[in-house]
Short mmCIF file of all heavy atoms in Angstrom, two decimals:
data_model
loop_
_atom_site.label_atom_id
_atom_site.label_comp_id
_atom_site.label_asym_id
_atom_site.label_seq_id
_atom_site.Cartn_x
_atom_site.Cartn_y
_atom_site.Cartn_z
N MET A 6 -9.25 -5.58 35.58
CA MET A 6 -9.74 -4.46 34.82
C MET A 6 -8.86 -4.30 33.57
O MET A 6 -7.65 -4.42 33.65
CB MET A 6 -9.69 -3.20 35.69
CG MET A 6 -10.17 -1.98 35.00
SD MET A 6 -11.77 -1.25 35.44
CE MET A 6 -12.29 -1.96 36.92
N ILE A 7 -9.47 -4.02 32.44
CA ILE A 7 -8.75 -3.84 31.19
C ILE A 7 -8.81 -2.35 30.81
O ILE A 7 -9.86 -1.73 30.85
CB ILE A 7 -9.37 -4.68 30.06
CG1 ILE A 7 -9.22 -6.17 30.38
CG2 ILE A 7 -8.75 -4.34 28.71
CD1 ILE A 7 -9.88 -7.09 29.40
N TYR A 8 -7.63 -1.80 30.48
CA TYR A 8 -7.53 -0.41 30.04
C TYR A 8 -7.10 -0.39 28.59
O TYR A 8 -6.36 -1.26 28.14
CB TYR A 8 -6.53 0.35 30.90
CG TYR A 8 -6.89 0.33 32.36
CD1 TYR A 8 -6.18 -0.46 33.26
CD2 TYR A 8 -7.95 1.07 32.83
CE1 TYR A 8 -6.52 -0.50 34.59
CE2 TYR A 8 -8.31 1.04 34.17
CZ TYR A 8 -7.59 0.25 35.05
OH TYR A 8 -7.93 0.21 36.37
N ASN A 9 -7.54 0.60 27.85
CA ASN A 9 -7.27 0.68 26.43
C ASN A 9 -6.82 2.10 26.09
O ASN A 9 -7.44 3.06 26.54
CB ASN A 9 -8.54 0.32 25.65
CG ASN A 9 -8.30 0.06 24.20
OD1 ASN A 9 -7.27 0.42 23.66
ND2 ASN A 9 -9.26 -0.58 23.56
N ALA A 10 -5.75 2.22 25.30
CA ALA A 10 -5.24 3.53 24.88
C ALA A 10 -5.06 3.54 23.38
O ALA A 10 -4.76 2.50 22.77
CB ALA A 10 -3.92 3.84 25.57
N ARG A 11 -5.23 4.70 22.79
CA ARG A 11 -5.00 4.86 21.35
C ARG A 11 -4.10 6.08 21.15
O ARG A 11 -4.37 7.15 21.68
CB ARG A 11 -6.31 5.04 20.60
CG ARG A 11 -6.12 5.19 19.11
CD ARG A 11 -7.40 4.86 18.37
NE ARG A 11 -7.20 4.73 16.97
CZ ARG A 11 -6.97 3.59 16.35
NH1 ARG A 11 -6.89 2.47 17.02
NH2 ARG A 11 -6.82 3.56 15.05
N PHE A 12 -3.04 5.89 20.36
CA PHE A 12 -2.15 6.99 20.02
C PHE A 12 -2.91 8.05 19.23
O PHE A 12 -3.66 7.73 18.31
CB PHE A 12 -0.97 6.46 19.20
CG PHE A 12 -0.10 7.53 18.63
CD1 PHE A 12 0.81 8.19 19.44
CD2 PHE A 12 -0.20 7.89 17.30
CE1 PHE A 12 1.62 9.20 18.92
CE2 PHE A 12 0.61 8.88 16.78
CZ PHE A 12 1.51 9.54 17.58
N VAL A 13 -2.71 9.33 19.58
CA VAL A 13 -3.38 10.44 18.90
C VAL A 13 -2.38 11.27 18.11
O VAL A 13 -2.56 11.52 16.93
CB VAL A 13 -4.14 11.34 19.91
CG1 VAL A 13 -4.74 12.54 19.23
CG2 VAL A 13 -5.20 10.53 20.64
N LYS A 14 -1.29 11.73 18.76
CA LYS A 14 -0.32 12.59 18.08
C LYS A 14 0.98 12.65 18.88
O LYS A 14 1.04 12.21 20.02
CB LYS A 14 -0.88 13.99 17.89
CG LYS A 14 -1.14 14.72 19.20
CD LYS A 14 -1.77 16.08 18.97
CE LYS A 14 -2.10 16.72 20.32
NZ LYS A 14 -2.74 18.01 20.17
N GLU A 15 2.00 13.22 18.25
CA GLU A 15 3.28 13.49 18.91
C GLU A 15 3.71 14.89 18.53
O GLU A 15 3.25 15.45 17.53
CB GLU A 15 4.33 12.45 18.50
CG GLU A 15 4.54 12.34 17.01
CD GLU A 15 5.34 11.12 16.61
OE1 GLU A 15 6.03 10.54 17.45
OE2 GLU A 15 5.27 10.74 15.44
N ASN A 16 4.57 15.50 19.34
CA ASN A 16 4.94 16.89 19.08
C ASN A 16 5.89 17.05 17.90
O ASN A 16 5.97 18.14 17.32
CB ASN A 16 5.50 17.57 20.33
CG ASN A 16 6.78 16.95 20.83
OD1 ASN A 16 7.04 15.76 20.64
ND2 ASN A 16 7.59 17.74 21.50
N PHE A 17 6.63 16.02 17.50
CA PHE A 17 7.39 16.02 16.25
C PHE A 17 7.62 14.59 15.82
O PHE A 17 7.63 13.67 16.64
CB PHE A 17 8.71 16.81 16.34
CG PHE A 17 9.66 16.35 17.41
CD1 PHE A 17 10.53 15.29 17.18
CD2 PHE A 17 9.71 16.99 18.63
CE1 PHE A 17 11.43 14.88 18.14
CE2 PHE A 17 10.60 16.58 19.62
CZ PHE A 17 11.45 15.53 19.38
N GLY A 18 7.79 14.40 14.51
CA GLY A 18 7.87 13.07 13.93
C GLY A 18 9.20 12.37 14.15
O GLY A 18 10.18 12.96 14.59
N ASP A 19 9.24 11.11 13.77
CA ASP A 19 10.42 10.27 13.95
C ASP A 19 11.61 10.75 13.13
O ASP A 19 12.75 10.48 13.46
CB ASP A 19 10.11 8.82 13.58
CG ASP A 19 9.14 8.18 14.56
OD1 ASP A 19 8.99 8.71 15.68
OD2 ASP A 19 8.54 7.16 14.21
N ARG A 20 11.38 11.43 12.05
CA ARG A 20 12.49 11.88 11.18
C ARG A 20 12.97 13.29 11.53
O ARG A 20 13.80 13.85 10.82
CB ARG A 20 12.06 11.81 9.72
CG ARG A 20 11.72 10.38 9.30
CD ARG A 20 11.71 10.25 7.79
NE ARG A 20 11.26 8.95 7.37
CZ ARG A 20 12.01 7.86 7.32
NH1 ARG A 20 13.26 7.89 7.69
NH2 ARG A 20 11.50 6.71 6.90
N HIS A 21 12.50 13.84 12.64
CA HIS A 21 12.94 15.16 13.09
C HIS A 21 14.43 15.09 13.46
O HIS A 21 14.85 14.19 14.18
CB HIS A 21 12.11 15.60 14.31
CG HIS A 21 12.47 16.94 14.84
ND1 HIS A 21 11.99 18.09 14.29
CD2 HIS A 21 13.27 17.30 15.87
CE1 HIS A 21 12.47 19.12 14.96
NE2 HIS A 21 13.25 18.66 15.93
N LYS A 22 15.22 16.01 12.95
CA LYS A 22 16.67 15.98 13.20
C LYS A 22 16.99 16.60 14.55
O LYS A 22 16.52 17.67 14.87
CB LYS A 22 17.42 16.69 12.09
CG LYS A 22 17.26 15.98 10.76
CD LYS A 22 18.17 16.55 9.71
CE LYS A 22 17.82 15.89 8.39
NZ LYS A 22 18.87 15.24 7.76
N VAL A 23 17.79 15.86 15.32
CA VAL A 23 18.28 16.33 16.61
C VAL A 23 19.80 16.20 16.57
O VAL A 23 20.33 15.15 16.20
CB VAL A 23 17.71 15.49 17.77
CG1 VAL A 23 18.27 15.95 19.10
CG2 VAL A 23 16.19 15.54 17.78
N LYS A 24 20.49 17.27 16.93
CA LYS A 24 21.95 17.25 16.91
C LYS A 24 22.48 16.34 18.02
O LYS A 24 21.85 16.17 19.06
CB LYS A 24 22.49 18.67 17.11
CG LYS A 24 22.18 19.59 15.95
CD LYS A 24 22.71 20.97 16.21
CE LYS A 24 22.30 21.89 15.07
NZ LYS A 24 22.69 23.27 15.33
N SER A 25 23.64 15.78 17.78
CA SER A 25 24.29 14.93 18.76
C SER A 25 24.42 15.67 20.09
O SER A 25 24.81 16.84 20.12
CB SER A 25 25.67 14.54 18.24
OG SER A 25 26.35 13.77 19.18
N ARG A 26 24.06 15.00 21.17
CA ARG A 26 24.12 15.51 22.54
C ARG A 26 23.14 16.64 22.82
O ARG A 26 23.19 17.25 23.88
CB ARG A 26 25.54 15.93 22.91
CG ARG A 26 26.53 14.79 22.82
CD ARG A 26 27.91 15.25 23.26
NE ARG A 26 28.91 14.27 22.90
CZ ARG A 26 29.31 13.30 23.68
NH1 ARG A 26 28.79 13.15 24.86
NH2 ARG A 26 30.25 12.46 23.28
N GLU A 27 22.26 16.93 21.89
CA GLU A 27 21.25 17.96 22.11
C GLU A 27 20.10 17.36 22.94
O GLU A 27 19.61 16.28 22.66
CB GLU A 27 20.70 18.45 20.76
CG GLU A 27 19.62 19.48 20.86
CD GLU A 27 19.08 19.91 19.50
OE1 GLU A 27 19.44 19.29 18.48
OE2 GLU A 27 18.29 20.86 19.48
N SER A 28 19.68 18.08 23.95
CA SER A 28 18.54 17.64 24.75
C SER A 28 17.25 17.97 24.01
O SER A 28 17.18 18.97 23.29
CB SER A 28 18.52 18.35 26.10
OG SER A 28 19.62 17.95 26.88
N PHE A 29 16.25 17.12 24.18
CA PHE A 29 14.95 17.39 23.57
C PHE A 29 13.86 16.74 24.41
O PHE A 29 14.12 15.86 25.22
CB PHE A 29 14.90 16.88 22.12
CG PHE A 29 15.00 15.38 21.98
CD1 PHE A 29 13.85 14.61 21.91
CD2 PHE A 29 16.22 14.75 21.92
CE1 PHE A 29 13.93 13.23 21.78
CE2 PHE A 29 16.32 13.38 21.79
CZ PHE A 29 15.17 12.61 21.73
N LEU A 30 12.66 17.23 24.22
CA LEU A 30 11.51 16.68 24.92
C LEU A 30 10.51 16.24 23.87
O LEU A 30 10.04 17.03 23.06
CB LEU A 30 10.87 17.75 25.81
CG LEU A 30 9.60 17.32 26.55
CD1 LEU A 30 9.92 16.23 27.57
CD2 LEU A 30 8.98 18.52 27.23
N LYS A 31 10.25 14.96 23.85
CA LYS A 31 9.28 14.39 22.91
C LYS A 31 8.05 13.99 23.71
O LYS A 31 8.16 13.36 24.75
CB LYS A 31 9.86 13.18 22.19
CG LYS A 31 8.86 12.53 21.26
CD LYS A 31 9.48 12.10 19.98
CE LYS A 31 8.42 11.46 19.10
NZ LYS A 31 8.78 11.43 17.74
N THR A 32 6.89 14.38 23.21
CA THR A 32 5.65 14.05 23.90
C THR A 32 4.71 13.31 22.97
O THR A 32 4.70 13.56 21.76
CB THR A 32 4.95 15.31 24.44
OG1 THR A 32 4.66 16.19 23.35
CG2 THR A 32 5.81 16.04 25.45
N TRP A 33 3.96 12.40 23.54
CA TRP A 33 2.95 11.65 22.82
C TRP A 33 1.62 11.89 23.53
O TRP A 33 1.56 11.93 24.75
CB TRP A 33 3.26 10.16 22.84
CG TRP A 33 4.50 9.77 22.13
CD1 TRP A 33 4.61 9.35 20.83
CD2 TRP A 33 5.83 9.71 22.65
NE1 TRP A 33 5.91 9.05 20.53
CE2 TRP A 33 6.69 9.27 21.63
CE3 TRP A 33 6.39 10.02 23.90
CZ2 TRP A 33 8.06 9.10 21.81
CZ3 TRP A 33 7.74 9.86 24.08
CH2 TRP A 33 8.56 9.41 23.04
N THR A 34 0.57 11.99 22.75
CA THR A 34 -0.78 12.13 23.31
C THR A 34 -1.55 10.86 23.01
O THR A 34 -1.54 10.37 21.88
CB THR A 34 -1.51 13.35 22.68
OG1 THR A 34 -0.74 14.52 22.94
CG2 THR A 34 -2.90 13.51 23.25
N PHE A 35 -2.21 10.34 24.04
CA PHE A 35 -3.03 9.14 23.92
C PHE A 35 -4.45 9.45 24.36
O PHE A 35 -4.67 10.32 25.19
CB PHE A 35 -2.46 8.01 24.79
CG PHE A 35 -1.13 7.51 24.32
CD1 PHE A 35 0.05 8.09 24.76
CD2 PHE A 35 -1.06 6.46 23.43
CE1 PHE A 35 1.28 7.64 24.32
CE2 PHE A 35 0.17 6.00 22.98
CZ PHE A 35 1.33 6.59 23.43
N ARG A 36 -5.38 8.71 23.81
CA ARG A 36 -6.79 8.81 24.19
C ARG A 36 -7.18 7.56 24.95
O ARG A 36 -6.78 6.45 24.59
CB ARG A 36 -7.67 8.94 22.94
CG ARG A 36 -9.16 8.97 23.25
CD ARG A 36 -10.03 9.06 21.99
NE ARG A 36 -9.62 10.16 21.13
CZ ARG A 36 -9.10 10.01 19.91
NH1 ARG A 36 -8.94 8.81 19.39
NH2 ARG A 36 -8.76 11.05 19.21
N ASN A 37 -7.96 7.75 25.99
CA ASN A 37 -8.55 6.60 26.67
C ASN A 37 -9.61 6.05 25.74
O ASN A 37 -10.68 6.61 25.59
CB ASN A 37 -9.16 7.00 28.01
CG ASN A 37 -9.78 5.83 28.73
OD1 ASN A 37 -10.01 4.78 28.16
ND2 ASN A 37 -10.06 6.02 30.01
N ASN A 38 -9.29 4.97 25.07
CA ASN A 38 -10.13 4.40 24.03
C ASN A 38 -10.98 3.23 24.55
O ASN A 38 -11.56 2.50 23.77
CB ASN A 38 -9.24 3.92 22.87
CG ASN A 38 -9.95 3.91 21.55
OD1 ASN A 38 -10.71 4.82 21.27
ND2 ASN A 38 -9.71 2.89 20.74
N GLY A 39 -11.02 3.09 25.86
CA GLY A 39 -11.75 1.97 26.44
C GLY A 39 -13.01 2.41 27.15
O GLY A 39 -13.46 3.55 27.03
N ASP A 40 -13.54 1.49 27.92
CA ASP A 40 -14.78 1.74 28.67
C ASP A 40 -14.52 2.07 30.13
O ASP A 40 -15.45 2.45 30.84
CB ASP A 40 -15.67 0.49 28.61
CG ASP A 40 -16.11 0.16 27.19
OD1 ASP A 40 -16.35 1.11 26.41
OD2 ASP A 40 -16.21 -1.04 26.87
N ASN A 41 -13.27 1.94 30.58
CA ASN A 41 -12.94 2.16 31.99
C ASN A 41 -12.09 3.41 32.17
O ASN A 41 -11.20 3.69 31.37
CB ASN A 41 -12.17 0.95 32.54
CG ASN A 41 -12.98 -0.32 32.44
OD1 ASN A 41 -14.10 -0.37 32.91
ND2 ASN A 41 -12.42 -1.34 31.81
N GLU A 42 -12.35 4.12 33.25
CA GLU A 42 -11.55 5.29 33.61
C GLU A 42 -10.16 4.84 34.04
O GLU A 42 -10.01 3.85 34.74
CB GLU A 42 -12.24 6.00 34.77
CG GLU A 42 -11.62 7.29 35.17
CD GLU A 42 -12.45 7.97 36.24
OE1 GLU A 42 -13.36 8.72 35.88
OE2 GLU A 42 -12.17 7.74 37.43
N TRP A 43 -9.12 5.57 33.57
CA TRP A 43 -7.76 5.28 34.03
C TRP A 43 -7.61 5.91 35.41
O TRP A 43 -7.81 7.11 35.59
CB TRP A 43 -6.72 5.87 33.11
CG TRP A 43 -6.73 5.37 31.71
CD1 TRP A 43 -7.30 4.23 31.23
CD2 TRP A 43 -6.12 6.00 30.58
NE1 TRP A 43 -7.09 4.11 29.88
CE2 TRP A 43 -6.37 5.19 29.46
CE3 TRP A 43 -5.40 7.16 30.41
CZ2 TRP A 43 -5.90 5.52 28.19
CZ3 TRP A 43 -4.94 7.49 29.15
CH2 TRP A 43 -5.19 6.67 28.05
N PRO A 44 -7.21 5.14 36.41
CA PRO A 44 -7.05 5.71 37.75
C PRO A 44 -5.84 6.63 37.83
O PRO A 44 -4.95 6.63 36.97
CB PRO A 44 -6.87 4.48 38.64
CG PRO A 44 -6.52 3.36 37.74
CD PRO A 44 -6.99 3.70 36.36
N LEU A 45 -5.81 7.42 38.88
CA LEU A 45 -4.76 8.41 39.09
C LEU A 45 -3.36 7.81 39.08
O LEU A 45 -2.42 8.42 38.62
CB LEU A 45 -5.00 9.15 40.42
CG LEU A 45 -4.02 10.25 40.79
CD1 LEU A 45 -4.03 11.34 39.73
CD2 LEU A 45 -4.37 10.83 42.12
N ASP A 46 -3.20 6.58 39.55
CA ASP A 46 -1.87 5.97 39.65
C ASP A 46 -1.46 5.18 38.41
O ASP A 46 -0.51 4.42 38.43
CB ASP A 46 -1.77 5.10 40.89
CG ASP A 46 -2.78 3.95 40.88
OD1 ASP A 46 -3.67 3.92 40.00
OD2 ASP A 46 -2.68 3.07 41.76
N SER A 47 -2.15 5.39 37.27
CA SER A 47 -1.79 4.70 36.03
C SER A 47 -0.43 5.19 35.54
O SER A 47 -0.06 6.34 35.76
CB SER A 47 -2.84 4.97 34.94
OG SER A 47 -4.09 4.50 35.33
N VAL A 48 0.30 4.30 34.87
CA VAL A 48 1.64 4.62 34.38
C VAL A 48 1.77 4.13 32.94
O VAL A 48 1.38 3.02 32.62
CB VAL A 48 2.73 3.93 35.25
CG1 VAL A 48 4.11 4.22 34.70
CG2 VAL A 48 2.61 4.36 36.70
N PHE A 49 2.34 4.98 32.06
CA PHE A 49 2.71 4.55 30.72
C PHE A 49 4.17 4.11 30.75
O PHE A 49 5.02 4.81 31.29
CB PHE A 49 2.56 5.69 29.71
CG PHE A 49 1.18 5.83 29.16
CD1 PHE A 49 0.27 6.69 29.73
CD2 PHE A 49 0.79 5.08 28.06
CE1 PHE A 49 -1.00 6.82 29.22
CE2 PHE A 49 -0.48 5.19 27.54
CZ PHE A 49 -1.39 6.07 28.12
N ILE A 50 4.45 2.96 30.14
CA ILE A 50 5.84 2.49 30.06
C ILE A 50 6.13 2.10 28.62
O ILE A 50 5.25 1.70 27.87
CB ILE A 50 6.10 1.30 31.00
CG1 ILE A 50 5.15 0.14 30.69
CG2 ILE A 50 5.99 1.71 32.45
CD1 ILE A 50 5.49 -1.14 31.40
N GLN A 51 7.39 2.23 28.23
CA GLN A 51 7.82 1.86 26.89
C GLN A 51 7.92 0.35 26.81
O GLN A 51 8.51 -0.30 27.69
CB GLN A 51 9.17 2.49 26.58
CG GLN A 51 9.68 2.13 25.21
CD GLN A 51 11.02 2.76 24.92
OE1 GLN A 51 11.52 3.56 25.69
NE2 GLN A 51 11.61 2.39 23.80
N THR A 52 7.35 -0.24 25.75
CA THR A 52 7.41 -1.69 25.60
C THR A 52 8.18 -2.12 24.37
O THR A 52 8.55 -3.28 24.25
CB THR A 52 6.00 -2.30 25.53
OG1 THR A 52 5.30 -1.73 24.42
CG2 THR A 52 5.24 -2.04 26.83
N ASN A 53 8.42 -1.21 23.41
CA ASN A 53 9.20 -1.56 22.22
C ASN A 53 9.69 -0.29 21.55
O ASN A 53 9.43 0.81 22.01
CB ASN A 53 8.39 -2.43 21.25
CG ASN A 53 7.14 -1.74 20.74
OD1 ASN A 53 7.07 -0.51 20.68
ND2 ASN A 53 6.15 -2.52 20.36
N GLY A 54 10.44 -0.43 20.47
CA GLY A 54 10.98 0.72 19.75
C GLY A 54 12.34 1.12 20.29
O GLY A 54 12.92 0.45 21.14
N ASP A 55 12.85 2.23 19.77
CA ASP A 55 14.16 2.74 20.19
C ASP A 55 14.15 3.08 21.66
O ASP A 55 13.19 3.67 22.17
CB ASP A 55 14.54 3.99 19.38
CG ASP A 55 14.77 3.69 17.92
OD1 ASP A 55 15.15 2.56 17.60
OD2 ASP A 55 14.55 4.59 17.10
N ASN A 56 15.23 2.74 22.35
CA ASN A 56 15.35 3.07 23.77
C ASN A 56 15.79 4.52 23.89
O ASN A 56 16.95 4.84 23.70
CB ASN A 56 16.35 2.14 24.45
CG ASN A 56 16.46 2.42 25.93
OD1 ASN A 56 15.76 3.28 26.46
ND2 ASN A 56 17.33 1.71 26.60
N LEU A 57 14.86 5.38 24.24
CA LEU A 57 15.16 6.80 24.41
C LEU A 57 15.49 7.13 25.87
O LEU A 57 15.67 8.29 26.22
CB LEU A 57 13.97 7.66 23.95
CG LEU A 57 13.58 7.49 22.49
CD1 LEU A 57 12.34 8.33 22.18
CD2 LEU A 57 14.72 7.88 21.57
N GLU A 58 15.58 6.09 26.69
CA GLU A 58 15.85 6.28 28.12
C GLU A 58 14.86 7.27 28.71
O GLU A 58 15.21 8.15 29.49
CB GLU A 58 17.29 6.69 28.36
CG GLU A 58 18.27 5.62 27.90
CD GLU A 58 19.72 5.96 28.16
OE1 GLU A 58 19.99 6.90 28.94
OE2 GLU A 58 20.57 5.30 27.56
N ALA A 59 13.61 7.13 28.31
CA ALA A 59 12.56 8.03 28.76
C ALA A 59 12.18 7.74 30.20
O ALA A 59 12.27 6.61 30.67
CB ALA A 59 11.33 7.89 27.87
N SER A 60 11.77 8.78 30.89
CA SER A 60 11.31 8.59 32.26
C SER A 60 9.88 8.05 32.25
O SER A 60 9.12 8.26 31.31
CB SER A 60 11.36 9.92 33.01
OG SER A 60 10.53 10.87 32.38
N THR A 61 9.54 7.35 33.31
CA THR A 61 8.18 6.85 33.47
C THR A 61 7.25 8.03 33.70
O THR A 61 7.58 8.94 34.45
CB THR A 61 8.12 5.89 34.67
OG1 THR A 61 9.02 4.82 34.43
CG2 THR A 61 6.72 5.34 34.87
N GLN A 62 6.12 8.00 33.06
CA GLN A 62 5.18 9.11 33.18
C GLN A 62 3.90 8.66 33.86
O GLN A 62 3.23 7.76 33.37
CB GLN A 62 4.85 9.69 31.80
CG GLN A 62 3.88 10.86 31.85
CD GLN A 62 4.45 12.04 32.59
OE1 GLN A 62 5.57 12.46 32.33
NE2 GLN A 62 3.73 12.57 33.54
N LEU A 63 3.60 9.27 34.99
CA LEU A 63 2.34 9.01 35.65
C LEU A 63 1.23 9.73 34.91
O LEU A 63 1.41 10.85 34.43
CB LEU A 63 2.37 9.50 37.10
CG LEU A 63 3.34 8.78 38.02
CD1 LEU A 63 3.40 9.51 39.37
CD2 LEU A 63 2.93 7.35 38.21
N VAL A 64 0.09 9.09 34.81
CA VAL A 64 -1.07 9.71 34.18
C VAL A 64 -1.61 10.77 35.11
O VAL A 64 -1.77 10.55 36.31
CB VAL A 64 -2.16 8.65 33.88
CG1 VAL A 64 -3.43 9.29 33.42
CG2 VAL A 64 -1.64 7.65 32.86
N ASN A 65 -1.85 11.97 34.57
CA ASN A 65 -2.44 13.05 35.34
C ASN A 65 -3.95 12.85 35.31
O ASN A 65 -4.65 13.49 34.55
CB ASN A 65 -2.03 14.40 34.75
CG ASN A 65 -2.47 15.55 35.62
OD1 ASN A 65 -2.83 15.36 36.77
ND2 ASN A 65 -2.43 16.73 35.07
N GLY A 66 -4.42 11.91 36.09
CA GLY A 66 -5.80 11.44 35.97
C GLY A 66 -6.62 11.77 37.17
O GLY A 66 -6.22 12.57 37.99
N PRO A 67 -7.74 11.17 37.29
CA PRO A 67 -8.22 10.08 36.44
C PRO A 67 -8.58 10.57 35.04
O PRO A 67 -8.87 11.75 34.85
CB PRO A 67 -9.45 9.55 37.18
CG PRO A 67 -9.91 10.69 38.02
CD PRO A 67 -8.69 11.50 38.36
N VAL A 68 -8.52 9.65 34.07
CA VAL A 68 -8.83 9.98 32.68
C VAL A 68 -10.07 9.17 32.27
O VAL A 68 -10.04 7.95 32.25
CB VAL A 68 -7.64 9.66 31.74
CG1 VAL A 68 -7.99 10.00 30.31
CG2 VAL A 68 -6.40 10.40 32.19
N ARG A 69 -11.12 9.88 31.94
CA ARG A 69 -12.37 9.23 31.57
C ARG A 69 -12.32 8.70 30.14
O ARG A 69 -11.53 9.19 29.33
CB ARG A 69 -13.52 10.21 31.70
CG ARG A 69 -13.79 10.62 33.13
CD ARG A 69 -14.84 11.67 33.18
NE ARG A 69 -14.29 12.84 32.51
CZ ARG A 69 -14.60 14.08 32.79
NH1 ARG A 69 -15.50 14.35 33.68
NH2 ARG A 69 -14.04 15.08 32.16
N PRO A 70 -13.13 7.71 29.82
CA PRO A 70 -13.20 7.21 28.45
C PRO A 70 -13.45 8.36 27.46
O PRO A 70 -14.29 9.23 27.70
CB PRO A 70 -14.39 6.24 28.47
CG PRO A 70 -14.40 5.74 29.87
CD PRO A 70 -14.03 6.93 30.71
N GLY A 71 -12.66 8.38 26.38
CA GLY A 71 -12.76 9.42 25.36
C GLY A 71 -11.87 10.61 25.59
O GLY A 71 -11.62 11.40 24.68
N ASP A 72 -11.34 10.79 26.81
CA ASP A 72 -10.44 11.91 27.11
C ASP A 72 -9.02 11.60 26.69
O ASP A 72 -8.63 10.44 26.57
CB ASP A 72 -10.47 12.24 28.60
CG ASP A 72 -11.74 12.94 29.04
OD1 ASP A 72 -12.57 13.30 28.17
OD2 ASP A 72 -11.91 13.11 30.26
N GLU A 73 -8.23 12.67 26.48
CA GLU A 73 -6.82 12.53 26.11
C GLU A 73 -5.95 13.01 27.25
O GLU A 73 -6.34 13.84 28.03
CB GLU A 73 -6.52 13.36 24.85
CG GLU A 73 -7.28 12.87 23.66
CD GLU A 73 -7.05 13.71 22.41
OE1 GLU A 73 -6.29 14.69 22.45
OE2 GLU A 73 -7.65 13.37 21.38
#
């Protein structure tokens, strides 16, 4: 099965200033841009970019095609 996601938005941009040792929560919104529903046990993982040591996020699904 092939799943497809498209980035929609983030809660603040890459140039947002964060003080040293300050905790923050960055969120990204994705759209199911494919033809298949994402099952409940789907997981988003980081594959490139800065290592923010982010936790693995389970999809709160199922997510139907076109849903965010």
